[in-house]
Amino acid sequence: MSAKWEKQEGNQGVLTFEVDAEKFNEGLDAAFKKVVKTVSVPGFRKGKMPRAMFEKRFGVESLYQDAIDILLPEAYTNAIEEAGIEPVDRPEIDVEQVEKGKALIFKATVTVKPEVKLGQYKGIEVEKVNTEVTEEDVNQELTSLQERHAELVVKETAAENGDTVVMDFEGFVDGEAFEGGQADNYSLELGSGQFIPGFEEQLVGTAAGEEKDVEVTFPEDYHAAELAGKKAVFKVKVHEVKGKELPELDDEFAKDADDEVETLDALKEKIKTRLEESKKHEAEHTVRDTVVEKAAENAEIDLPAIMIDNEVDRMMQEFEQRLQMQGMNLELYFQFSGQDESALREQMKEEAEKRVRMNLTLEAIAKAENIEVSPEEMDAELNKMSEMYNMPVENITAALGSLEGLKADVQVRKALDFLVENSKTVE
């Protein structure tokens, strides 16, 4: 096995590698054993045709593609290890030489992980974060608790912002009803931003039993192309208007809101303690985010587009998982938001690029500072995962396959710790 790496412009290069003649012959043998099982020739049962007769009839060339398919994955993996490169995309591979009795030669055009030229990363200044919890902070949290424990009560008066309207509606474009534009007994909180811009505002002031034509214009980037930019009229019939009735802030409310307290004062104290912890964690996260963002800004990196696209893919998966936890899916989200997948991906690109830059910077810092991960640290990480997923360490290890990815994650985290330890707090 021999591999030669030739760096080209940007993050691309050509990797030339070969499989020696002996190994290629083994691949041809394996290909023949696979192909002969499917060949029907008079006088022979399937799989029993002699190799010499097969090659005479079909030619050894008929085995080349199967042999390449068998040999290429291992050959490419060995070649990138020998060349010491880190591909970030599927390679474009051409066969340069394929002939029985000779070495099999490949040329692969490969996009690799970019080089990082570090700028300043030690002594990064971070503004001190105020972690004081005020009485106003506690009162705001109490108000939020009140909102969450509020009851919806039918109102006889007109709808206000924040009220919930129970209604039937049907949408029309150019006088024609359109698919997905109709619902009965639908509950909508006015001001929640669930519907097309302008819809909810026009229902403020309506009352139970009232009918109203709501005129709106679909956004230009609406996910349903046939409705994008179109004017629409929704015929709405209001059945009920419900307002929020907030509970009194007293000891009974405190017990209902938290079964571990008996009084409103105890609830306030508990809220204050929780907010203090939250602000402390928030301050720590702010420091960590700030140091890595500044270090990444100071670094020079020519990012391959595919790395950003791959990060967007991960972000889309994360977003979909969060929606599922809320009982939604992407299709419903697109209907409510008026976006489509391409618009959402475009919206995520900036954050994806930022994430990739920061991760590459941390990897480069770990290398520059010789930050290593000890066996004890790996054991601690595996034990933490074991507790988190309630699985034996052996099962975690088996599920991961290789521990290199986990080791890289721990190394990056240690590089971030290093940045924080070497930062400066300023007022």
Side-chain angles (χ1 to χ4, degrees):
M1 178 72 195
S2 65
K4 179 186 175 186
W5 170 247
E6 295 176 271
K7 184 79 162 58
Q8 295 181 330
E9 192 177 345
N11 297 296
Q12 280 200 329
V14 174
L15 179 65
T16 305
F17 58 102
E18 64 179 53
V19 176
D20 64 39
E22 186 181 346
K23 188 78 173 174
F24 183 33
N25 279 333
E26 290 174 11
L28 290 171
D29 291 342
F32 170 71
K33 288 173 185 174
K34 173 188 171 188
V35 172
V36 75
K37 293 175 184 176
T38 64
V39 176
S40 296
V41 177
F44 295 98
R45 287 183 294 128
K46 276 188 178 180
K48 298 300 180 182
M49 186 181 189
R51 171 79 174 270
M53 186 176 287
F54 176 90
E55 289 192 13
K56 187 175 180 182
R57 181 161 187 165
F58 299 105
V60 69
E61 295 82 6
S62 63
L63 298 174
Y64 285 170
Q65 188 57 55
D66 285 294
I68 288 169
D69 291 343
I70 292 166
L71 297 169
L72 180 57
E74 183 183 354
Y76 177 67
T77 300
N78 291 340
I80 61 176
E81 286 179 6
E82 187 178 326
I85 59 173
E86 291 186 76
V88 294
D89 194 13
R90 292 172 65 91
E92 292 178 13
I93 299 179
D94 294 318
V95 181
E96 290 290 296
Q97 177 177 290
V98 54
E99 186 177 340
K100 187 179 180 181
K102 293 185 178 181
L104 179 60
I105 302 176
F106 298 99
K107 267 196 175 181
T109 302
V110 186
T111 302
V112 295
K113 189 177 281 190
E115 295 175 5
V116 178
K117 187 178 178 183
L118 290 170
Q120 183 203 354
Y121 61 89
K122 293 179 186 176
I124 288 175
E125 293 187 348
V126 183
E127 286 186 13
K128 187 176 180 180
V129 181
N130 182 12
T131 57
E132 181 191 358
V133 174
T134 65
E135 188 177 346
E136 185 183 351
D137 293 330
V138 175
N139 289 337
Q140 283 180 352
E141 189 67 17
L142 274 175
T143 302
S144 296
L145 266 177
Q146 269 186 301
E147 290 277 348
R148 289 199 291 275
H149 285 77
E151 291 183 10
L152 284 178
V153 179
V154 175
K155 291 175 57 174
E156 299 300 326
T157 54
E160 300 173 86
N161 219 31
D163 288 345
T164 295
V165 171
V166 181
M167 62 181 173
D168 299 340
F169 64 83
E170 186 171 14
F172 298 83
V173 171
D174 297 329
E176 296 288 331
F178 57 87
E179 190 177 350
Q182 187 270 339
D184 294 330
N185 292 314
Y186 190 93
S187 293
L188 173 66
E189 183 181 335
L190 303 186
S192 64
Q194 289 183 47
F195 273 37
I196 303 161
F199 187 100
E200 295 170 25
E201 293 86 337
Q202 294 179 56
L203 292 181
V204 173
T206 57
E210 188 175 335
E211 295 184 12
K212 184 177 180 70
D213 286 353
V214 175
E215 297 179 6
V216 293
T217 301
F218 283 98
E220 292 291 343
D221 58 354
Y222 194 66
H223 66 93
E226 68 276 10
L227 297 176
K230 296 282 183 70
K231 291 186 177 180
V233 175
F234 284 85
K235 294 191 174 297
V236 178
K237 181 172 183 180
V238 177
H239 293 301
E240 285 182 328
V241 176
K242 295 179 180 179
K244 288 179 183 176
E245 193 171 88
L246 299 179
E248 290 292 325
L249 282 177
D250 52 22
D251 292 345
E252 285 304 313
F253 167 75
K255 292 177 192 176
D256 289 339
D258 189 328
D259 55 14
E260 293 182 357
V261 300
E262 293 292 327
T263 65
L264 184 60
D265 286 340
L267 177 61
K268 287 181 177 179
E269 195 56 40
K270 190 171 181 180
I271 288 172
K272 185 179 181 183
T273 301
R274 188 171 70 241
L275 287 177
E276 284 171 344
E277 283 296 313
S278 175
K279 285 201 171 191
K280 181 184 172 186
H281 287 307
E282 189 180 325
E284 289 171 358
H285 281 297
T286 299
V287 171
R288 294 174 78 81
D289 290 345
T290 302
V291 292
V292 70
E293 281 177 23
K294 288 188 176 181
E297 286 169 7
N298 294 338
E300 292 180 25
I301 314 172
D302 179 16
L303 279 186
I306 187 63
M307 291 190 76
I308 300 170
D309 291 340
N310 289 343
E311 187 60 34
V312 171
D313 289 341
R314 277 189 285 272
M315 291 173 68
M316 286 289 290
Q317 288 174 356
E318 291 168 7
F319 184 66
E320 190 165 15
Q321 286 166 1
R322 289 198 300 272
L323 288 177
Q324 287 169 353
M325 289 170 69
Q326 297 166 15
M328 283 186 72
N329 56 35
L330 276 175
E331 188 179 346
L332 272 173
Y333 173 79
F334 291 144
Q335 287 179 10
F336 285 134
S337 68
Q339 282 185 313
D340 59 13
E341 185 174 340
S342 62
L344 182 58
R345 289 180 68 88
E346 189 62 34
Q347 190 178 309
M348 290 178 171
K349 260 190 176 178
E350 187 177 341
E351 176 62 23
E353 181 175 348
K354 185 174 165 185
R355 283 191 190 186
V356 175
R357 284 185 65 86
M358 290 193 299
N359 203 61
L360 288 171
T361 302
L362 288 171
E363 286 179 3
I365 291 168
K367 187 176 179 181
E369 296 295 332
N370 297 312
I371 295 172
E372 298 293 341
V373 180
S374 68
E376 293 76 21
E377 287 170 324
M378 286 297 292
D379 288 342
E381 191 69 18
L382 286 167
N383 286 327
K384 192 194 301 180
M385 291 176 72
S386 173
E387 289 178 20
M388 186 187 302
Y389 297 110
N390 196 25
M391 287 172 63
V393 169
E394 298 76 23
N395 292 11
I396 297 283
T397 306
L400 289 172
S402 168
L403 294 180
E404 287 306 306
L406 181 62
K407 186 177 180 180
D409 289 343
V410 177
Q411 193 174 33
V412 160
R413 200 159 64 236
K414 288 185 70 176
L416 181 48
D417 292 339
F418 174 86
L419 283 182
V420 173
E421 288 162 11
N422 286 274
S423 65
K424 295 178 181 177
T425 302
V426 295
E427 290 297 333

